[in-house]
Amino acid sequence: QVQLVESGGGLVQAGGSLRLACAASGRTFSSYALGWFRQAPGKEREFVAAISKGGDNIYYLDSVKGRFTISRDNAKNTVYLQMNSLKPEDTAVYYCAAHAAEERDYVGVLSPQYAYWGQGTQVTVSS
């Protein structure tokens, strides 16, 4: 089992940057595939980015490709989401999620694929 805690959210102007971090408890962090999702008011939760437990397989939502970068530091039990060139439509609560994956290259892009979730961190982009 793993517990996840996000940080790094805040208010930023359009075109700005934020770096989200998600710290995980436990000693088996490297066994988990990780993802970032977001949920805007009145909308369903949507996939943003995912990274395999080996770090070699990465997926992004099309609208964030070239602007967002997901990475992981297994030594620090932390997954990051670097967000550049932020747009007002990126405003949402951002959640990290973890899945105990057997395959090294496994990545999940759907919410039900993840068993563990953080509490979320608010990102607000002003125009």
Side-chain angles (χ1 to χ4, degrees), residues 3-84:
Q3 293 183 328
L4 305 170
V5 179
E6 301 97 335
S7 62
L11 173 64
V12 64
Q13 289 188 333
S17 298
L18 284 173
R19 187 193 195 201
L20 305 183
C22 175
S25 64
R27 294 176 289 179
T28 59
F29 180 77
S30 60
S31 299
Y32 291 88
L34 303 164
W36 285 97
F37 290 75
R38 65 187 181 187
Q39 187 166 18
K43 295 186 177 181
E44 293 185 355
R45 187 173 299 186
E46 69 172 352
F47 166 79
V48 176
I51 186 168
S52 61
K53 66 179 184 180
D56 299 325
N57 202 11
I58 292 175
Y59 276 59
Y60 293 102
L61 176 69
D62 282 347
S63 63
V64 308
K65 284 180 181 177
R67 300 189 298 121
F68 290 12
T69 302
I70 187 172
S71 62
R72 64 188 296 162
D73 186 337
N74 288 345
K76 295 183 178 180
N77 281 12
T78 302
V79 59
Y80 302 97
L81 186 68
Q82 177 67 44
M83 304 186 296
N84 299 327

